[in-house]
Amino acid sequence: MLNIEKKAVAKAVGMLACALLASPAAADDAARIKELERKLERSMQLIENLSAKVSELEKAKAPAPAASPAAADQQARVEALERQVAQLGSGISRRSFDDGIPVHGFADVGLAHSGEHNPIFGKGRKGFNVGSFDLYLTPQFGDRVRSLIELVFEVDHDGDIATDLERLQIGYAFSDAAVAWGGRFHTPYGYWNTAFHHGAQIQTSLSRPRFLEFEDKGGILPAHTTGAWLTGALPLAGNRFGYDVYVGNSSSLRVENTATTLSANNAAAFNSQVSAGGYAGGGALNMKMAGGDSGSYMTGFNAWIEPRAIDGLRLGVHGLGGSITDDSADRNRTRLAALGAYGVFASERWEVLGEFYRFNNRDLSGGSGSHRSWAGYLQAGYNSGRWTPYVRGERASLEQKDNYFAVQEFGRSYRRFVAGLRYDLDPKAALKLELSRTSQEDLGLGGDDRYGAAQLQYSIRF
């Protein structure tokens, strides 16, 4: 039995050494590996010594014909040594296979000065601020079962701390070409929404394009979906193809006030075109994480190619559709239909991103027909060592007779130009300075607003 334990311990030590040597991080730290190897050798030597001592004591006790005080004491010493060997082996085994769940995180703080001042959004924010604290976990269960959990603590508009379970998805990898996920995930439309999550450090710019913001930050699309998602990538003729198909609960638009109240409150603030659209409000998207009573679902797809001819280029198309109901007095229902295309070029020096969204929404409850809108952005950055200057142009033209946009707080047309500079203090920390100029439209009588803003951000990841 002792030999079996020794073999198990030796096997565990060997697996630990292999795991450490196979780790990319450990491979970069030769001194650490050597130190660990020395510790392992000392542990093995200790095991061998203890084992030899146990064997010696077992031989010594074997001829004893009957129990005596000396034999009993010897037996106790043997059992104590056996326990020590077992505990040592168990400890090494736990260190080899039970290292716990690695936790990754992101955080950012900053300073902002905005000149925004209009009847809808009021005065812009000024002063120091705390961004978000993002905990990112990827528990491992084996080669095929996967999971991803993202928990974010962030400061809301009033300065209170809010906690959001931004992602909780559990998946099964049939192969690289087919990975199935269930739970709450980033809706795979376009490029930005899945390439960059809530950790500010990973994206080049300080801000996201405004129309692609998260639901509680002013985004006009459901950035998260609760449902099922099949994704994968595969090579073909030297090119690389990828796809996403998904189905999930249809989002709703949560309107805090009734339509009557909204109309009364905003009658003077919105022009006749907006008023004719029915509502002008402070609604926000709710992805129905706990399900809903409507029983309707949202579906979408995304397909992309990375051609062999141009390294770093990705081109893609995507679509999203579903029935969206708001909780205003009239409970408008809108058939959301979005189609889009995008292109990304990422080389050692250049990063160029561009996305375009076309909406053809149809009123399913009020009979006002179909409404067309669009939104897009183009961003370019040049990396020269630690410095990355970048610029971005954004434009959204959103039909205000479309209930889907009219009900949303940030469903207004706008233009924005952004120029920024990123400096990487090290691979896990970045300083960003971003200046922007925004023109907001559809704000009603005297409401159109043009303002500048300056933001500074210090972001880290670990």
Side-chain angles (χ1 to χ4, degrees), residues 125-391:
R125 297 284 172 176
K126 299 179 178 68
F128 294 96
N129 58 72
V130 173
S132 61
F133 176 44
D134 185 334
L135 292 177
Y136 188 94
L137 297 83
T138 55
Q140 299 293 317
F141 302 98
D143 295 335
R144 295 187 179 275
V145 179
R146 302 178 180 180
S147 66
L148 191 159
I149 302 169
E150 187 176 15
L151 183 65
V152 177
F153 301 87
E154 56 189 357
V155 179
D156 64 19
H157 190 268
D158 296 323
D160 299 325
I161 300 294
T163 304
D164 281 328
L165 184 60
E166 299 292 355
R167 281 190 283 182
L168 198 166
Q169 54 189 80
I170 302 174
Y172 187 86
F174 299 96
S175 67
D176 290 341
V179 181
W181 294 96
R184 171 172 166 162
F185 48 84
H186 279 199
T187 310
Y189 51 67
Y191 178 80
W192 195 294
N193 200 46
T194 50
F196 307 116
H197 57 77
H198 299 260
Q201 193 271 344
I202 60 173
Q203 63 187 30
T204 298
S205 61
L206 186 152
S207 63
R208 296 166 66 96
R210 175 171 152 171
F211 72 94
L212 291 179
E213 277 283 6
F214 299 114
E215 296 91 341
D216 56 351
K217 301 291 184 182
I220 59 173
L221 284 166
H224 301 86
T225 294
T226 302
W229 170 27
L230 181 66
T231 183
L234 64 161
L236 184 62
N239 304 307
R240 190 162 178 262
F241 293 87
Y243 71 92
D244 304 278
V245 290
Y246 57 96
V247 58
N249 298 334
S250 277
S251 299
S252 67
L253 278 165
R254 180 177 295 167
V255 181
E256 298 295 338
N257 302 312
T258 66
T260 302
T261 303
L262 284 170
S263 299
N265 286 345
N266 295 285
F270 287 80
N271 60 28
S272 57
Q273 186 181 28
V274 174
S275 298
Y279 306 101
L285 285 162
N286 177 356
M287 78 292 298
K288 293 290 184 183
M289 188 163 56
D293 56 3
S294 65
S296 60
Y297 297 95
M298 182 175 64
T299 58
F301 74 93
N302 193 349
W304 52 264
I305 178 175
E306 292 177 348
R308 178 179 57 179
I310 304 177
D311 187 33
L313 178 65
R314 175 182 290 194
L315 301 173
V317 294
H318 60 96
L320 170 67
S323 176
I324 309 294
T325 303
D326 65 54
D327 60 2
S328 62
D330 293 338
R331 293 185 62 83
N332 300 298
R333 289 180 62 235
T334 302
R335 169 63 65 179
L336 170 65
L339 286 174
Y342 59 92
V344 179
F345 177 70
S347 67
E348 183 179 354
R349 294 294 185 186
W350 287 98
E351 180 189 71
V352 181
L353 315 172
E355 297 186 50
F356 177 80
Y357 293 72
R358 180 73 176 181
F359 301 94
N360 188 15
N361 298 340
R362 186 160 58 92
D363 185 357
L364 300 178
S365 55
S368 66
S370 298
H371 307 282
R372 294 185 176 182
S373 303
W374 64 273
Y377 77 88
L378 180 63
Q379 174 175 303
Y382 180 78
N383 178 267
S384 58
R386 295 187 174 188
W387 297 92
T388 305
Y390 60 90
V391 295

Side-chain angles (χ1 to χ4, degrees), residues 22-167:
S23 168
D28 296 336
D29 193 343
R32 186 182 173 199
I33 291 174
K34 290 181 179 178
E35 179 62 25
L36 290 172
E37 288 176 342
R38 284 194 292 272
K39 290 181 178 179
L40 290 172
E41 289 176 0
R42 288 198 295 272
S43 298
M44 286 295 298
Q45 186 61 47
L46 177 59
I47 293 171
E48 293 294 336
N49 293 340
L50 290 172
S51 298
K53 200 167 184 178
V54 169
S55 298
E56 185 179 328
L57 292 172
E58 284 181 333
K59 290 178 182 176
K61 75 172 183 177
S68 65
D73 179 64
Q74 194 175 62
Q75 178 64 27
R77 293 174 61 193
V78 170
E79 292 176 353
L81 286 171
E82 286 178 340
R83 284 196 297 272
Q84 290 181 37
V85 172
Q87 289 170 358
L88 180 59
S90 176
I92 292 174
S93 177
R94 283 197 299 272
R95 286 195 291 273
S96 299
F97 303 110
D98 189 14
D99 294 331
I101 301 173
V103 178
H104 304 283
F106 302 83
D108 63 277
V109 297
L111 173 67
H113 188 101
S114 171
E116 183 177 15
H117 190 187
N118 59 67
I120 306 305
F121 305 109
K123 294 184 178 180
R125 297 284 172 176
K126 299 179 178 68
F128 294 96
N129 58 72
V130 173
S132 61
F133 176 44
D134 185 334
L135 292 177
Y136 188 94
L137 297 83
T138 55
Q140 299 293 317
F141 302 98
D143 295 335
R144 295 187 179 275
V145 179
R146 302 178 180 180
S147 66
L148 191 159
I149 302 169
E150 187 176 15
L151 183 65
V152 177
F153 301 87
E154 56 189 357
V155 179
D156 64 19
H157 190 268
D158 296 323
D160 299 325
I161 300 294
T163 304
D164 281 328
L165 184 60
E166 299 292 355
R167 281 190 283 182

Side-chain angles (χ1 to χ4, degrees), residues 201 422-431 458-461:
Q201 193 271 344
R422 173 189 176 116
Y423 178 74
D424 290 302
L425 288 88
D426 62 38
K428 295 185 177 181
L431 276 173
Y458 187 13
S459 59
I460 60 170
R461 66 181 172 90

Side-chain angles (χ1 to χ4, degrees), residues 118-121 269-271 412 440-445 447-449:
N118 59 67
I120 306 305
F121 305 109
F270 287 80
N271 60 28
R412 311 287 169 258
Q440 294 197 114
E441 305 166 9
D442 304 323
L443 298 183
L445 298 173
D448 288 4
D449 189 21

